[in-house]
């Protein structure tokens, strides 16, 4: 049974399709100051965000497991994930479990400690927690190459140096 009601959808931004939902998910994570690789989902069918309460949801075709190689942890993402987001924090998280030793542990809160420390903490409903470096959940995004010479020309900055003009590539 879905936790996302028709009433909630009516007052939310709702998007459909994997490519658009991937983009919106990464944008939301960036806006709230969380690492962009925190939700490595595949085949997202729908995502939504209700700004007033911070409620978000993601629906994907099937449950997926993802191993975060930098920390050696396996995480399971259900077909529906819901949460409330605010700057630096995800609360009341549903649909996400992490494997600890031989058991799957439900996660219900994720937060970034004081940003300079670069630490991210994952909590369970039983108040157990684990802290890792934020860098373990960051995906390096490829730099988009400029498509044509005109775009390159627009990127040049002209800087006045005395009576001479110096052109620098950015």
């Amino acid at each position: 049974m879905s936790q996302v009601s028709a009433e909630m959808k009516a007052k939310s931004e709702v998007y459909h399709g994997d490519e658009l939902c991937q983009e919106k998910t990464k944008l939301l994570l960036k806006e709230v100051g969380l690492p962009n690789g925190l939700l490595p989902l595949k085949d997202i069918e729908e995502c939504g965000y209700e700004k007033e309460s911070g409620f978000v949801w993601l629906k994907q075709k099937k449950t997926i497991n993802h191993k975060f190689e930098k920390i050696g942890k396996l995480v399971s993402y259900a077909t529906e994930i819901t949460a409330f987001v605010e700057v630096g924090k995800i609360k009341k998280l549903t649909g996400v479990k992490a494997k600890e030793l031989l058991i799957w542990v439900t996660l219900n809160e994720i937060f970034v400690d004081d940003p300079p420390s670069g630490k991210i903490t994952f909590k369970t409903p039983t108040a157990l927690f684990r802290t890792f470096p934020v860098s373990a959940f960051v995906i390096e995004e490829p730099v988009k190459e400029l498509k044509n010479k005109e775009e390159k020309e627009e990127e040049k900055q002209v800087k006045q140096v005395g009576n001479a003009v110096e052109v620098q590539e950015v």
Side-chain angles (χ1 to χ4, degrees):
M1 169 119 185
S2 177
Q3 293 187 26
V4 184
S5 67
E7 180 182 323
M8 183 61 75
K9 279 187 177 185
K11 56 183 181 176
S12 302
E13 295 175 15
V14 181
Y15 304 97
H16 297 275
D18 185 56
E19 190 175 330
L20 181 58
C21 288
Q22 293 281 353
E23 184 181 314
K24 294 296 181 179
T25 301
K26 285 185 176 91
L27 183 63
L28 177 65
L29 288 170
K30 184 178 180 178
E31 282 179 14
V32 297
L34 294 169
N36 65 351
L38 201 55
L39 296 169
L41 307 179
K42 293 181 172 51
D43 296 326
I44 303 173
E45 295 177 320
E46 178 181 284
C47 64
Y49 179 40
E50 200 278 301
K51 284 187 178 183
E52 190 174 308
S53 67
F55 182 72
V56 296
W57 72 90
L58 299 146
K59 293 182 181 182
Q60 57 183 351
K61 289 182 181 177
K62 61 183 181 178
T63 298
I64 66 156
N65 292 333
H66 176 80
K67 185 171 185 177
F68 288 96
E69 295 295 335
K70 292 180 183 175
I71 58 170
K73 291 292 176 193
L74 188 61
V75 178
S76 176
Y77 297 89
T79 55
E80 182 174 288
I81 298 161
T82 64
F84 289 87
V85 297
E86 58 187 58
V87 174
K89 187 180 282 192
I90 296 176
K91 303 182 299 185
K92 298 182 181 178
L93 177 65
T94 67
V96 181
K97 294 179 181 184
K99 193 160 192 181
E100 274 301 317
L101 298 174
L102 299 172
I103 60 170
W104 287 98
V105 180
T106 299
L107 300 177
N108 74 331
E109 188 174 333
I110 302 170
F111 60 90
V112 174
D113 293 329
D114 188 27
S117 71
K119 301 288 184 190
I120 186 166
T121 301
F122 298 82
K123 288 178 74 175
T124 70
T126 59
L128 295 173
F129 66 92
R130 295 273 291 198
T131 301
F132 300 99
V134 169
S135 61
F137 304 93
V138 174
I139 296 171
E140 294 298 324
E141 296 190 25
V143 177
K144 293 180 182 176
E145 294 201 25
L146 296 174
K147 291 182 181 171
N148 60 42
K149 190 175 177 180
E150 291 172 26
E151 288 178 350
K152 285 185 180 181
E153 291 298 321
E154 290 174 5
E155 290 291 318
K156 289 182 181 177
Q157 289 182 342
V158 178
K159 186 168 86 175
Q160 186 90 24
V161 182
N163 291 336
V165 174
E166 184 180 314
V167 177
Q168 292 183 317
E169 288 279 340
V170 177

